[in-house]
Amino acid sequence: NMQTDNIQTDNIQTNSIQTDRQALQQTLEIMALFLQQSMDSLHLVTDGVSTVTSEEQITVEESVEKIFSACLGRTRLKDTFPLHKARHVNYLRKGLSRLSENFECLDASRPWLCYWIVHSLNLLGDKLTTEHQIRISQFIGSVQAETGGFTGNVGHLPHLATTYAAVSAVASLDHEQCWEVIDCERLKAFISTMHNEDGSFAMHKDGELDVRGAYCAAVVATLCGINTEELFKKYRRVDSQVSDLRRRVWIKARY
């Protein structure tokens, strides 16, 4: 009976996998058809006026279109999707010491590059040496602002997004000493400064307000062990008010 149950379970799992693959296959075919039909309509409209930026965008569009066109005829799913782990690891490790000029546009996002690379290496099961980890954490420490929080590069203003990236990069390192670069008291002060009376979080001083701020602040505070009631009291007060408003609207709509 146990063997029969196992066979039935295997059949259910196999059927489920086949159903998922069929749904994915249909999705790919629909996407390919959509891209083929709408490719022309996605091009930049210049109204006959050429500028440096429009020319650059057109060049990018043409490059992307070549890749899309090459993929349109390859929408059939393969049985296996090989992951060239060694190649990815080699590429990521090179990025820890030197990046090509193509990354110049991310010069103000260096903590993000650290986080993406370290996290990717973790996912691939590649362990960095203690020396490597310490050097990465030291760089993270170098972009820590005097007022708390982390910047995108040395001399820049602290930003909640790059603070999230910096702390996440440290959290992805497997060495206790790496945490020592984070000044939690100053970090707490920075997060508090970004917290507005209406409960929102600014991304930086006089910066934009959106849900990213609350998310970045909450994650950073939790990872660093500074997620206190005092730090988020404004957010929780507003959240309570919103919840109460939703409840009233729901009651009114129902009755």
Side-chain angles (χ1 to χ4, degrees), residues 104-124:
E104 184 180 4
C105 60
L106 294 176
D107 192 50
S109 302
R110 290 192 174 189
W112 281 108
L113 294 171
C114 288
Y115 173 51
W116 292 331
I117 292 174
V118 173
H119 186 58
S120 297
L121 288 172
N122 283 346
L123 292 176
L124 292 169

Side-chain angles (χ1 to χ4, degrees), residues 2 7 16 35 42 48 73 151 234 242:
M2 187 177 294
I7 293 174
S16 176
L35 287 170
L42 297 175
T151 69
K234 300 173 188 175
V242 171

Side-chain angles (χ1 to χ4, degrees), residues 66-215:
K66 288 180 181 178
I67 298 173
F68 272 136
S69 299
C71 293
L72 287 178
R74 299 168 55 186
T75 55
R76 298 304 304 177
L77 288 176
K78 297 180 180 179
D79 292 331
T80 59
F81 297 87
L83 177 65
H84 301 293
K85 178 180 174 180
R87 296 181 186 176
H88 290 303
V89 168
N90 183 53
Y91 172 76
L92 291 166
R93 279 185 168 272
K94 285 182 178 179
L96 284 175
S97 57
R98 183 177 179 81
L99 292 169
S100 71
E101 60 183 14
N102 295 327
F103 288 88
E104 184 180 4
C105 60
L106 294 176
D107 192 50
S109 302
R110 290 192 174 189
W112 281 108
L113 294 171
C114 288
Y115 173 51
W116 292 331
I117 292 174
V118 173
H119 186 58
S120 297
L121 288 172
N122 283 346
L123 292 176
L124 292 169
D126 186 69
K127 186 175 177 60
L128 291 169
T129 64
T130 299
E131 181 185 0
H132 250 129
Q133 295 187 55
I134 297 299
R135 287 175 57 191
I136 293 171
S137 67
Q138 287 174 341
F139 168 75
I140 295 297
S142 73
V143 295
Q144 186 168 208
E146 292 184 2
T147 54
F150 292 84
T151 69
N153 204 340
V154 178
H156 292 195
L157 290 173
H159 195 288
L160 271 177
T162 48
T163 297
Y164 168 86
V167 173
S168 296
V170 172
S172 299
L173 298 172
D174 187 27
H175 200 284
E176 193 67 25
Q177 186 180 341
C178 296
W179 286 98
E180 296 177 3
V181 302
I182 300 177
D183 188 326
C184 290
E185 286 304 314
R186 285 194 294 173
L187 176 59
K188 187 175 179 180
F190 168 68
I191 294 176
S192 180
T193 302
M194 295 301 103
H195 203 179
N196 300 305
E197 286 298 327
D198 63 0
S200 63
F201 285 85
M203 294 303 291
H204 57 89
K205 183 180 179 181
D206 300 325
E208 67 274 21
L209 308 174
D210 54 55
V211 73
R212 291 178 304 154
Y215 175 76

Side-chain angles (χ1 to χ4, degrees), residues 1-11:
N1 289 337
M2 187 177 294
Q3 290 180 343
T4 302
D5 291 341
N6 289 337
I7 293 174
Q8 290 176 345
T9 302
D10 290 342
N11 288 337

Side-chain angles (χ1 to χ4, degrees), residues 16-54:
S16 176
I17 292 173
Q18 290 176 344
T19 301
D20 290 342
R21 288 180 62 81
Q22 289 173 354
L24 181 56
Q25 179 64 59
Q26 292 175 352
T27 301
L28 286 172
E29 291 175 353
I30 292 172
M31 289 176 62
L33 180 62
F34 169 77
L35 287 170
Q36 198 166 21
Q37 293 177 342
S38 61
M39 193 73 75
D40 291 337
S41 64
L42 297 175
H43 285 304
L44 174 69
V45 178
T46 62
D47 294 326
V49 179
S50 178
T51 64
V52 174
T53 52
S54 67

Side-chain angles (χ1 to χ4, degrees), residues 246-255:
R246 286 175 177 170
R247 182 178 60 81
R248 293 181 184 179
V249 171
W250 179 80
I251 293 175
K252 184 176 181 180
R254 185 173 183 181
Y255 298 105

